[in-house]
């Protein structure tokens, strides 16, 4: 049946390529590794032109694109056997890692979604790192892992967003410290680093995993970011007036999300991170958190060094509300105001 359906000597090349791609995808979907093995092995014997690996794959593309789609599907559903067949049987498997779908996702993006598995992710790492010198291997790995999809997300962003601590631990164990430092600093289109993606999605295990990793390597979050657009100081020299433009601090991001559980988790952080507590108070007051959560969160933040009387301008708040106390007063949050004043 495979010979009849996919006879390259009888079919025009575009039709043959489309049929071959469909069969590979169906083989992965139906978990038929034997069929996939036969097809991939036979395709290797045929000489078809292949496009550059930097191009996005889409309908009607060549055999390499079909193989890439099948590999992405296997990675997404966690089918380690089918992924292994493609990686070991396909002669030009390394370019598959750089191929992307229409949204800019690589095979690593697909693997790091909710249904993948850590063993398959490790398989991808191993295969990408095989057969090259150490320096070349790290460069090749860095190029693929730094790829962003159309939302500005790397594969590590996806893993953090889905709360996959097993994936995150794989990244931490198989990437160099230099590469990890770059990956952890990448911001997506919502200005979220991978850590902030985990904070925003209440992925507590991932948050603690990343924080402990950074703390153990003295990669402490700085109170004054080095890049522009984070915190802008205004007024006379030495003024404490600050404008929070981009929530790069995990505590501030948790406060913007109104996530009391995450605030408590970060406050218990033993790694010595330098969080911006005062800005977090105002950010929490401007969030959609319940009144009770605001009261408890503000009390905790003030107890841990936050100053509700410091002049902080947060873009999401009223331009007339410059301190946490004035924000609470202007929003008629009487219980919150009472907690700020009594605790402060």
């Amino acid at each position: 049946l495979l010979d009849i359906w996919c006879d390259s000597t009888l079919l025009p090349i575009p039709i043959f390529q489309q049929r071959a791609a469909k069969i590979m995808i169906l083989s992965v979907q139906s978990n038929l590794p034997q069929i996939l093995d036969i097809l991939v092995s036979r395709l290797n014997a045929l000489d078809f032109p292949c496009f550059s690996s930097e191009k996005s794959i889409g309908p009607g593309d060549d055999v390499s694109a079909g193989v890439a789609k099948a590999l992405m599907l296997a990675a997404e559903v966690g089918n380690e056997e089918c992924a292994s067949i493609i990686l070991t049987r396909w002669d030009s498997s390394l370019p598959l890692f750089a191929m992307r779908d229409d949204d800019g996702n690589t095979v690593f993006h697909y693997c790091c979604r909710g249904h993948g598995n850590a063993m398959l992710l490790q398989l991808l790492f191993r295969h990408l790192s095989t057969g090259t010198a150490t320096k070349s291997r790290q460069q090749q790995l860095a190029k693929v892992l730094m790829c962003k999809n159309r939302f500005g997300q790397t594969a590590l962003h996806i893993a953090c967003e889905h709360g996959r601590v097993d994936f995150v631990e794989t990244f931490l164990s198989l990437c160099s410290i230099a590469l990890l430092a770059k990956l952890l600093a990448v911001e997506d289109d919502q200005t979220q680093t991978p850590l902030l993606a985990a904070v925003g999605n209440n992925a507590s295990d991932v948050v603690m995993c990343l924080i402990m990793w950074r703390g153990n390597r003295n990669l402490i979050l700085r109170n004054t970011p080095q890049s522009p657009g984070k915190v802008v100081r205004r007024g006379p020299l030495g003024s404490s007036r600050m404008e929070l433009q981009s929530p790069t601090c995990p505590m501030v991001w948790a406060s913007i999300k109104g996530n009391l559980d995450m605030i408590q988790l970060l406050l218990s952080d033993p790694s010595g991170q330098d969080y911006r507590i005062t800005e977090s108070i105002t950010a929490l007051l401007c969030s959609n958190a319940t009144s009770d959560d605001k009261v408890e969160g503000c009390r905790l933040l003030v107890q841990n060094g936050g100053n509700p009387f410091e002049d902080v301008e947060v873009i999401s708040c009223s331009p007339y509300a410059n301190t946490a106390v004035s924000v609470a007063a202007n929003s008629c949050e009487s219980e919150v105001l009472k907690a700020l004043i009594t605790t402060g």
Side-chain angles (χ1 to χ4, degrees), residues 73-91:
L73 177 60
E76 184 177 25
V77 300
N79 193 325
E80 187 178 353
E81 185 176 7
C82 286
S84 179
I85 287 172
I86 295 172
L87 292 174
T88 55
R89 299 293 193 202
W90 187 245
D91 290 342

Side-chain angles (χ1 to χ4, degrees), residues 27-46:
S27 299
V28 175
Q29 289 175 334
S30 304
N31 192 24
L32 297 173
Q34 299 90 343
I35 299 296
L36 182 65
D37 193 355
I38 294 171
L39 183 58
V40 172
S41 298
R42 292 195 180 181
L43 288 174
N44 274 325
L46 303 176

